[in-house]
Amino acid sequence: MNTRLHDPFKTAIDSLDDFADLISQVLKCPITIEDSNHRLLAYSTHDERTDPARISTIIGRRVPEKVINQLWKEGTIPALLKTKEPIHVKSMDDIGLSHRVAISIWKDEEVLGFIWALEIDKLLNEEDFNLLKKAANTAKNKLLQLQTRKNKKEERFQEFFWKLLTGHMDDREEIMEHFQTMQITPASSFAVLVFQFQQNITDKDEQNISYILKTTQRIQIMLYTIDCNQLILLVSGTNMENPLNEINHFVQTFISKTMERYGVMDISPAYSGIYDNYQKISKAYKETLAVLSIKERFPLETKTIHNYTKLGIYQLFDLLLEKRKNETYENPSLKMLEEYDQKHNSNLVETLEIFLTKDNNINDTAKELNVHANTLNYRLKRIAEIGEVDFKDPNQKMLLYLDLKLKKYQGI
């Protein structure tokens, strides 16, 4: 009797490892089963035939990031996220991938995971494809059980993270106890990182974000949560020669992948300094919010600034404003220039601000204002005369710069 005429997978499954072995026996090829984030769930153990990509996946318990990136680029993963049919995957020697067939494990309109079958001695035929579809359908219930447990676990993680972010858990022993209970190894140093999206993050967006975070292998993400339009991460700074550079690299990679794969644009990132005391997570979180607030008010000046330690004088604005509240102060040079601009419909204040922002560089300022250098020099001469500004006095220039930025910060 030909066993391929019936469903050999309609049987009790003790574990996914046993199920992977069963699929391997039926199809006569090595099998791996992954979750939707390419973490290894099971693999057939009795077959030594394999390739470097599969070996790396088994050793690391997840698919290497370079393999995932290549599978996105050549269209395999986008195809698996659209179809319930098995698809052929061509060999890619540069990433150690041999010929194989892949199929997604679906529950309604959601992909729960994938089954990969290596074509070592033979190419799978239509009959094998039908068997692979039956295997995917049987695996669905097992993956649903795993997903339910995972969701409950992540809810506990997020509650813990919010207590840290808001300062409602600030006892060191209690924090370490929670890390241990949740089986999270606290890094020796950390930073808080926030990605601010233009719109509130939808359930589908959250799935895509989770996929990128869980397939990222260059940086360790200990905890993450979502708040309306913000993705908030607690990232490790351990074993990094220059943690801030590594975090910045991750920021750029995350933004580019989100744009290329899902078409999401205009994400604004911010990250704190590096800390080694978990009682300061709330402080680190406030730093990221301060960066986002400054970037919103000064988009041009802070376009390339994402880190709190790089904010420079912008860190001091709230302190300076608090001081100014207690005194009746007005910069006399700015007052004279503003009155002149209002009376003559000119833009000397704007010219002064850009000139100081561009560090007194004539060419850069002229380019930004779209005027000739001679025109700019004439304006600067008028600013010096009308506002009694001495461009050779660094103290006066610094105060003018601060007062101009403080006005913008206040929306005046």
Side-chain angles (χ1 to χ4, degrees), residues 34-37 41 103-106 111-115 143:
E34 304 163 8
D35 69 9
S36 58
N37 296 313
L41 298 177
I103 187 170
S104 303
I105 302 168
W106 291 81
V111 173
L112 302 178
F114 310 95
I115 300 174
L143 265 64

Side-chain angles (χ1 to χ4, degrees), residues 13-24:
I13 303 172
D14 292 329
S15 71
L16 275 176
D17 285 316
D18 291 340
F19 188 56
D21 279 338
L22 176 60
I23 302 172
S24 178

